[in-house]
Coordinates of all heavy atoms in Angstrom, one line a residue:
C83 N -24.3 10.9 -0.6 CA -25.7 10.9 0.0 C -26.7 10.4 -1.0 O -26.6 10.8 -2.2 CB -26.0 12.4 0.4 SG -27.7 12.6 1.0
H85 N -29.7 11.2 -1.5 CA -30.6 12.2 -1.9 C -30.2 12.8 -3.2 O -30.6 12.4 -4.3 CB -30.8 13.2 -0.8 CG -31.8 14.3 -1.2 ND1 -31.6 15.6 -0.7 CD2 -32.9 14.3 -2.0 CE1 -32.6 16.4 -1.2 NE2 -33.4 15.6 -2.0
R86 N -29.2 13.7 -3.1 CA -28.8 14.4 -4.4 C -27.3 14.3 -4.7 O -26.8 15.0 -5.5 CB -29.2 15.9 -4.3 CG -30.7 16.1 -4.1 CD -31.4 16.7 -5.4 NE -31.0 18.1 -5.5 CZ -31.6 19.2 -5.0 NH1 -32.7 19.0 -4.2 NH2 -31.2 20.4 -5.2
G87 N -26.7 13.3 -3.9 CA -25.3 12.9 -4.3 C -24.2 13.6 -3.5 O -23.0 13.4 -3.8
N88 N -24.6 14.5 -2.6 CA -23.5 15.2 -1.8 C -22.6 14.3 -1.1 O -23.1 13.2 -0.6 CB -24.3 16.1 -0.8 CG -23.5 17.2 -0.2 OD1 -22.6 17.7 -0.9 ND2 -23.8 17.6 1.0
C104 N -26.1 14.8 6.5 CA -25.7 15.4 5.2 C -25.8 16.9 5.4 O -26.8 17.4 5.9 CB -26.6 14.9 4.1 SG -26.1 15.6 2.5
Y106 N -26.3 19.1 3.2 CA -27.1 19.8 2.2 C -28.6 19.9 2.7 O -29.1 21.0 2.8 CB -27.0 19.0 0.9 CG -27.3 19.8 -0.4 CD1 -27.1 19.3 -1.6 CD2 -27.7 21.2 -0.3 CE1 -27.3 20.0 -2.8 CE2 -28.0 21.9 -1.5 CZ -27.8 21.3 -2.7 OH -28.0 22.0 -3.8
H107 N -29.3 18.8 3.0 CA -30.7 18.9 3.4 C -31.0 18.1 4.6 O -32.1 17.7 4.9 CB -31.6 18.4 2.2 CG -31.3 19.0 0.9 ND1 -30.5 18.3 0.0 CD2 -31.6 20.1 0.3 CE1 -30.3 19.0 -1.1 NE2 -31.0 20.2 -0.9
A108 N -29.9 17.7 5.4 CA -30.0 17.1 6.7 C -30.6 15.7 6.7 O -31.2 15.3 7.7 CB -30.8 18.1 7.6
W109 N -30.5 15.0 5.6 CA -30.9 13.5 5.8 C -29.8 13.0 6.8 O -28.6 13.4 6.7 CB -30.8 12.8 4.5 CG -31.9 13.1 3.5 CD1 -32.6 14.3 3.4 CD2 -32.3 12.3 2.4 NE1 -33.5 14.2 2.3 CE2 -33.3 12.9 1.7 CE3 -31.9 11.0 2.0 CZ2 -34.0 12.4 0.6 CZ3 -32.6 10.4 0.9 CH2 -33.6 11.1 0.2
Ligands
FES1 S1 -27.9 15.8 -0.8 FE1 -27.8 14.9 1.1 S2 -29.6 15.5 2.1 FE2 -29.8 16.4 0.1

Side-chain angles (χ1 to χ4, degrees):
C83 177
H85 179 214
R86 301 248 290 272
N88 199 28
C104 180
Y106 204 174
H107 312 96
W109 288 26

